[in-house]
Amino acid sequence: MPRTAAEVHTDLVLEPRDVKFDWSRLPLHWIPDEPFATHTINVLHLLLPEGERWFTEVFKDALPLITDEQLREEVLGFIGQEAIHAEAHQEVLDHLLGQGLDPRPYVRQIAWLFQRILGPKPHLSPRQRRENVIERVAFVAAIEHFTAFLGNWALNSPGLERAKADPTMLDLLRWHGAEEVEHRSVAFDLLVHLDRGYGRRIRGMVLGGPLLVHLWVRGVRYLLAADPELRGRLKPSWRQAWDGAQRGMLPDPIQSLRSGLRYFKLRYHPTQEGSSAQALGYLATSPAARAAATR
Ligand SMILES: [Fe+2]
Ligand SMILES: [Fe+2]
């Protein structure tokens, strides 16, 4: 008998897949003739290495607070997956630098944000330290809502093929997206395990959602200005974002906003978004994930 979506999700064992990508032939505009869409998605590479390393630090800090053995296993699987995601996106950053687009000034700001502003605070009492860890877990849970949304979008975005996007980059986006869908419940379940309160959950989104939008807009602006072929001639606009979404190359801004608002539902749970079966289906065919499985 076919398994239900809930059964597929419950039976998941999160395993890091040690993927490798060859970027040597990646064009600067890997969606041909679409620099705006290319750089809007490239913001992921700017944010994720520092962001996902920070996720793993937060979750390592949370490990001593976990009293449920299964959740602990899931958190360890999450840490393993996010650590590999961070390194995979870092390699794209290194490639951009080799192509004459220097991402480092922007990335330095992101590193400062995650390490200094959102990093662990020294000199806290054990009680304050616990509170600080849970507050940061709430922030991760809110961001993970969006990474799952984006992952689900990447898995269901034929517009990228129509636009002839680079297949290796598509595999990176979909492998990562599939793992985001696969582990989409972990941060939320960890938060509920540590604090069932609605207030903390909401605070994570009220802070995390607008911050993410702000960083994304700044990131697009930065990449377009730093692009050695464009030399600042292409100015970003919401109209281009809307146009890119209509042609299926970018997530729809309205759908993204609606998705953020669903996080406020009292009975929200990440499993209501995306499909674990679809994610596993992609991971079974992903060239990078298949190569990793045979290594
Ligand atoms: Fe990730
Ligand atoms: Fe994630």
Side-chain angles (χ1 to χ4, degrees):
M1 200 195 297
R3 294 186 305 157
T4 65
E7 284 168 344
V8 171
H9 185 78
T10 311
D11 293 347
L12 281 178
V13 177
L14 297 176
E15 47 161 329
R17 299 169 182 86
D18 191 14
V19 294
K20 303 270 181 263
F21 297 96
D22 176 6
W23 299 119
S24 57
R25 287 190 300 277
L26 183 76
L28 183 62
H29 300 151
W30 53 265
I31 307 178
D33 303 320
E34 298 286 354
F36 180 83
T38 296
H39 286 318
T40 301
I41 297 179
N42 275 346
V43 175
L44 285 169
H45 313 308
L46 293 181
L47 299 180
L48 291 177
E50 288 297 332
E52 293 188 310
R53 283 177 201 130
W54 180 79
F55 286 7
T56 66
E57 293 306 315
V58 172
F59 274 37
K60 282 178 191 166
D61 287 347
L63 277 174
L65 309 180
I66 300 174
T67 55
D68 178 303
E69 206 37 52
Q70 189 188 339
L71 180 60
R72 187 184 165 76
E73 287 303 314
E74 289 176 8
V75 166
L76 289 171
F78 178 101
I79 290 171
Q81 290 191 339
E82 295 293 22
I84 292 178
H85 298 173
E87 296 321 308
H89 288 276
Q90 180 67 49
E91 286 176 11
V92 184
L93 280 185
D94 298 342
H95 177 72
L96 285 179
L97 183 61
Q99 288 178 310
L101 195 166
D102 186 356
R104 292 173 297 184
Y106 185 89
V107 172
R108 272 196 291 272
Q109 294 176 15
I110 299 301
W112 176 81
L113 173 73
F114 281 110
Q115 289 164 18
R116 289 297 182 87
I117 305 300
L118 298 170
K121 301 280 179 277
H123 314 305
L124 298 180
S125 68
R127 191 169 175 282
Q128 288 170 325
R129 183 175 149 74
R130 180 186 163 90
E131 282 297 300
N132 178 259
V133 170
I134 301 174
E135 201 67 26
R136 289 188 288 144
V137 168
F139 195 85
V140 176
I143 302 297
E144 283 285 297
H145 172 76
F146 287 112
T147 56
F149 170 81
L150 292 172
N152 189 36
W153 175 79
L155 291 172
N156 298 284
S157 53
L160 289 172
E161 266 102 0
R162 282 198 299 273
K164 301 199 169 10
D166 179 83
T168 306
M169 182 60 79
L170 267 186
D171 190 34
L172 168 85
L173 295 174
R174 290 182 176 155
W175 152 75
H176 187 174
E179 289 198 351
E180 289 303 320
V181 171
E182 184 186 31
H183 75 218
R184 67 196 183 283
S185 302
V186 179
F188 187 83
D189 290 346
L190 175 60
L191 174 62
V192 172
H193 178 69
L194 299 175
D195 180 354
R196 303 190 74 83
Y198 183 69
R200 179 108 58 182
R201 187 222 299 186
I202 294 317
R203 199 157 55 240
M205 179 55 87
V206 166
L207 295 173
L211 177 65
L212 190 60
V213 174
H214 173 72
L215 294 178
W216 214 294
V217 170
R218 282 189 56 153
V220 174
R221 239 183 246 148
Y222 179 87
L223 287 168
L224 289 175
D227 184 310
E229 289 183 14
L230 299 174
R231 297 174 188 277
R233 285 192 302 270
L234 179 62
K235 302 291 179 205
S237 68
W238 284 102
R239 190 186 186 86
Q240 291 171 82
W242 179 255
D243 176 62
Q246 294 308 303
R247 292 190 289 137
M249 292 182 298
L250 295 173
D252 185 323
I254 304 288
Q255 297 290 342
S256 309
L257 178 65
R258 283 205 182 121
S259 166
L261 293 175
R262 286 198 291 278
Y263 193 76
F264 291 88
K265 285 194 307 188
L266 266 178
R267 293 184 175 280
Y268 166 85
H269 189 266
T271 46
Q272 295 157 0
E273 314 257 331
S275 156
S276 299
Q278 185 189 27
L280 292 178
Y282 183 75
L283 291 167
T285 58
S286 153
R290 283 168 62 102
T294 57
R295 261 199 293 277

